Amino acid sequence: MADYIEIKDLLVRTIIGVNAEEREKRQDVLINLKFEVDLRAAGESDSMNDAVNYKTICKQVLHFTEKSSFLLVEKLAAEIAWISLSDSRVQRVWVTVEKPGALRFSRSVGVTIERCQKDRPS
């Protein structure tokens, strides 16, 4: 049995992309996170001590992303995954990073990655 916490459509402005104009000014990036977490203890106790503080993770992701400057959305997604997995109660994370308007005639372009605790770099 798996439980999930989902954070949808975090809108952040950052430097991302390979083209010269993308390196000069911040652009919108949408981030979606899905954490696999055992929520049973929190569901029974109603205590924050038993819960994953997703607000804290979200703040870390936002702060990191605003200050980052990557060429590839793949790299940004991977770094966000490691931030999310820094809470050992997050067993697995799915990270989607999208660049709205990156392609003409497309609402958005993005990547989705999945990482788990055993994937974390040492």
Side-chain angles (χ1 to χ4, degrees):
M1 175 182 359
D3 303 323
Y4 302 99
I5 297 170
E6 293 186 65
I7 300 171
K8 297 181 181 181
D9 296 335
L10 288 173
L11 182 60
V12 186
R13 295 190 57 75
T14 191
I15 301 292
I16 189 89
V18 296
N19 298 324
E21 62 273 5
E22 293 176 309
R23 307 303 304 155
E24 293 174 9
K25 62 180 183 177
R26 297 182 183 283
Q27 55 190 301
D28 290 343
V29 172
L30 273 176
I31 300 169
N32 287 279
L33 303 169
K34 182 177 177 180
F35 307 135
E36 182 179 320
V37 182
D38 185 344
L39 299 174
R40 287 177 285 199
E44 291 174 16
S45 71
D46 197 28
S47 170
M48 277 301 298
N49 292 331
D50 294 325
V52 169
N53 191 331
Y54 54 83
K55 184 176 181 180
T56 298
I57 296 172
C58 186
K59 282 183 176 181
Q60 292 169 342
V61 167
L62 290 171
H63 180 75
F64 175 81
T65 304
E66 288 173 346
K67 300 221 179 287
S68 70
S69 177
F70 295 113
L71 298 174
L72 302 176
V73 292
E74 293 88 340
K75 175 64 173 171
L76 178 57
E79 294 299 323
I80 291 169
W82 306 141
I83 291 167
S84 302
L85 291 166
S86 66
D87 185 322
S88 62
R89 293 172 293 189
V90 176
Q91 299 159 11
R92 182 175 305 274
V93 63
W94 291 262
V95 179
T96 300
V97 177
E98 297 181 40
K99 288 174 58 176
L103 281 180
R104 194 169 157 209
F105 306 117
S106 172
R107 188 183 67 194
S108 182
V109 175
V111 301
T112 299
I113 66 168
E114 176 185 354
R115 300 291 184 269
C116 63
Q117 284 294 339
K118 70 177 173 71
D119 297 329
R120 283 184 65 200
S122 310

